[in-house]
Amino acid sequence: MKAPIPNLILLYATLTQSLKVVTKRGSADGCTDWSVDYKKYQVLVGEPVRIKCALFYGYIRANYSLAQSAGLSLMWYKSSGPGDFEEPIAFDGTRMSKEEDSIWFRPTVVQDSGLYACVIRNSTYCMKVSISLTVGENDTGLCYNSKMKYFEKAELSKSKEISCPEIEDFLFPFREPEILWYKECKSKTWRSSIVFKKDALVIREVREDDIGNYTCELKYGFFVVRRTTELTVTAPLTDKPPKLLHPLETKLTIQETQLGGSANLTCRAFFGYSGDVSPLIYWMKGEKFIEDLDDSRVWESDIRVLKEHLGEQEVSISLILDSVEEADLGNYSCYVENGNGRRHASILLHKRAV
């Protein structure tokens, strides 16, 4: 039985209002095209995967059943890439099947890689979006493909939970999943501070040797699903400003130079871990930034990382002066900053006695 006319009008009005913009919308053959969805499916060859039509998950305010009841049909097409010819998909019903708003692959093969366009339409309405699927093989000698890993960070001595991601389609209601965990693709006798709960591995107190690749393995019928997460360990987030190593804050350093010669003032500092923020270190002369001086003779070097461990860094920056003039003599200050504060120390550039 078809939906009443008022409901159809309401649905059509709803369908034409997108909830999100993924990329610039285009239109071809009277069909509104949302290009390629942000979600990309990546699986290992031989694994099952369910590709869901993204139109029902953020582009329109209607699910598959409501669209069906309004007389809209869902069709699938495949192409090898953007702009390539799209061919209708012939489902065999076994290895590859259309099930409500999704395509199921049981299992995938390398040739399944490509773009899958789902189209909802009737005689007067059409909308489509493409979904990317990449099927890859394991790296040689490994149980994962390094281009298909997930990534997590943990702080030293803190607790960290590593989930087995994107396995919802392979879980059964009211049944705990049986998940095996490996590190660097090998079975491991886990220490007592590492525990397992449902779909996650929990490290209660992270150590430096916890760095590495964690693979979870779940059986789904005759198939195996694997997900690999690379864990990076950092020092705890610092709550202190950077520390100057040279020059020192507590002592004025004097550096002599010859007029007409060159001078190199070097500043070194230690930065505790501050997330993904780059070290901020620079020179000033009085109230002037180096950029405000004669840039043909005076300039700063790039910041150099001298040491790095668990996100903590020792860095340096040099101030170079060519053909030193009388006006160049004086006090130069090196500043270091992070979100916890700013510190500075000075070098007095002094004319060498003849």
Side-chain angles (χ1 to χ4, degrees):
M1 181 178 174
K2 290 187 177 181
I5 295 298
N7 287 352
L8 278 173
I9 295 172
L10 178 60
L11 176 60
Y12 289 167
T14 301
L15 290 174
T16 56
Q17 296 179 359
S18 169
L19 295 182
K20 64 177 181 181
V21 176
V22 178
T23 185
K24 186 176 180 181
R25 184 174 63 178
S27 182
D29 301 325
C31 195
T32 301
D33 186 353
W34 286 100
S35 189
V36 182
D37 187 61
Y38 75 96
K39 180 174 175 59
K40 301 181 187 302
Y41 292 83
Q42 295 182 316
V43 295
L44 295 171
V45 63
E47 291 186 352
V49 68
R50 175 193 177 196
I51 295 180
K52 295 182 279 191
C53 178
L55 291 174
F56 301 112
Y57 297 88
Y59 290 82
I60 59 175
R61 294 183 179 91
N63 58 26
Y64 176 72
S65 298
L66 184 56
Q68 264 197 324
S69 67
L72 291 164
S73 299
L74 172 62
M75 291 166 285
W76 288 91
Y77 301 84
K78 184 191 176 188
S79 67
S80 55
D84 290 339
F85 179 72
E86 294 178 340
E87 297 182 0
I89 298 173
F91 295 99
D92 58 21
T94 52
R95 190 188 74 83
M96 185 168 152
S97 61
K98 175 185 175 184
E99 300 179 21
E100 296 189 340
D101 64 3
S102 306
I103 301 177
W104 269 98
F105 297 82
R106 300 184 181 94
T108 51
V109 296
V110 172
Q111 293 75 18
D112 291 327
S113 293
L115 290 179
Y116 290 81
C118 63
V119 181
I120 53 172
R121 71 186 316 157
N122 61 14
S123 59
T124 59
Y125 180 89
C126 181
M127 183 178 285
K128 68 178 283 192
V129 69
S130 296
I131 301 107
S132 172
L133 170 65
T134 302
V135 181
E137 299 191 44
N138 289 331
D139 291 353
T140 304
L142 298 176
C143 61
Y144 58 83
N145 183 308
S146 57
K147 295 180 180 179
M148 296 183 177
K149 293 193 295 186
Y150 299 82
F151 297 91
E152 291 284 352
K153 282 185 179 180
E155 293 180 34
L156 206 62
S157 302
K158 302 286 183 68
S159 176
K160 179 63 183 180
E161 181 176 304
I162 303 173
S163 64
C164 190
E166 299 191 15
I167 59 170
E168 297 80 7
D169 293 327
F170 312 108
L171 302 180
F172 297 97
F174 313 112
R175 189 191 303 178
E176 283 287 310
E178 295 181 12
I179 296 176
L180 298 177
W181 286 89
Y182 304 88
K183 187 177 182 190
E184 308 304 344
C185 300
K186 296 177 182 178
S187 298
K188 185 176 173 65
T189 302
W190 304 95
R191 66 180 186 269
S192 59
S193 59
I194 295 179
V195 296
F196 304 90
K197 64 174 190 180
K198 195 176 179 182
D199 60 350
L201 176 150
V202 181
I203 307 173
R204 288 175 173 164
E205 188 174 348
V206 173
R207 306 189 317 204
E208 188 172 347
D209 61 3
D210 290 325
I211 294 170
N213 296 289
Y214 293 79
T215 299
C216 58
E217 181 181 280
L218 171 70
K219 287 187 177 180
Y220 179 72
F222 298 106
F223 309 110
V224 172
V225 176
R226 291 190 182 95
R227 303 285 186 261
T228 297
T229 300
E230 181 180 335
L231 180 67
T232 302
V233 174
T234 70
L237 278 169
T238 185
D239 58 358
K240 298 179 174 63
K243 180 181 180 181
L244 281 153
L245 303 176
H246 177 81
L248 297 173
E249 291 182 75
T250 55
K251 178 182 177 183
L252 177 65
T253 300
I254 299 175
Q255 183 168 326
E256 293 188 333
T257 187
Q258 191 75 39
L259 293 181
S262 62
N264 187 320
L265 313 183
T266 298
C267 180
R268 289 189 297 112
F270 171 81
F271 284 76
Y273 177 62
S274 297
D276 295 325
V277 180
S278 298
L280 185 56
I281 177 171
Y282 56 94
W283 284 96
M284 294 185 70
K285 185 181 183 186
E287 299 296 319
K288 289 186 177 181
F289 290 98
I290 300 307
E291 293 85 351
D292 299 328
L293 305 179
D294 183 352
D295 59 6
S296 66
R297 297 186 306 102
V298 184
W299 71 92
E300 288 177 311
S301 71
D302 292 332
I303 297 172
R304 295 183 293 274
V305 178
L306 306 177
K307 298 177 185 177
E308 184 167 13
H309 185 64
L310 301 182
E312 298 178 329
Q313 296 179 322
E314 182 181 328
V315 304
S316 73
I317 187 171
S318 294
L319 177 64
I320 299 100
L321 299 93
D322 280 339
S323 302
V324 174
E325 301 174 355
E326 191 84 35
D328 295 327
L329 303 176
N331 208 40
Y332 291 84
S333 297
C334 177
Y335 286 84
V336 290
E337 295 182 34
N338 65 12
N340 300 304
R342 181 169 78 158
R343 297 285 185 268
H344 75 278
S346 298
I347 293 180
L348 177 62
L349 188 62
H350 186 71
K351 183 170 68 173
R352 184 180 294 128
V354 179

